[in-house]
Amino acid sequence: MIEDFFMTQGGQRVEIPKRRRFLNQMAMDKHKKLLLLSGEKKGEVCASCKFFLRYHQGSMYFKCEKSDPTSSQASDWRAKWKACGLHERG
């Protein structure tokens, strides 16, 4: 699970602001945390990652296995987002 405070590789303490008004914004915050923690994979997007999950339940829902997915809309992911450093082609 990703914490609201974390230490970067340089030993700096970074706080990620929480926004609870918009569920999509919460997912974006989780994505930003992953990018800050692990860096960014240039030229890749989340859709090409083996940890990118696709659920079909009436409509299509996308989740990231590395971001502690839940059944809530707050953990919905976007296929076009920049890939984090944990990205593995799959």
Side-chain angles (χ1 to χ4, degrees), residues 74-85:
S75 65
D76 283 356
W77 221 249
R78 302 292 175 267
K80 64 182 179 181
W81 281 348
K82 297 175 190 174
C84 70

Side-chain angles (χ1 to χ4, degrees), residues 17-66:
K18 280 189 169 183
R19 296 179 189 96
R20 298 220 176 254
R21 274 192 199 159
F22 305 106
L23 295 175
N24 286 341
Q25 187 65 45
M26 291 171 67
M28 285 176 58
D29 286 347
K30 284 186 173 186
H31 182 251
K32 288 178 186 176
K33 288 178 188 179
L34 276 177
L35 288 176
L36 284 172
L37 282 170
S38 62
E40 179 185 325
K41 268 263 174 90
K42 298 286 183 193
E44 297 285 351
V45 291
C46 291
S48 64
C49 183
K50 76 176 190 179
F51 301 115
F52 185 74
L53 307 173
R54 294 165 178 85
Y55 294 103
H56 299 273
Q57 294 175 350
S59 42
M60 179 92 72
Y61 300 96
F62 303 122
K63 308 284 181 180
C64 175
E65 195 174 313
K66 294 294 184 177

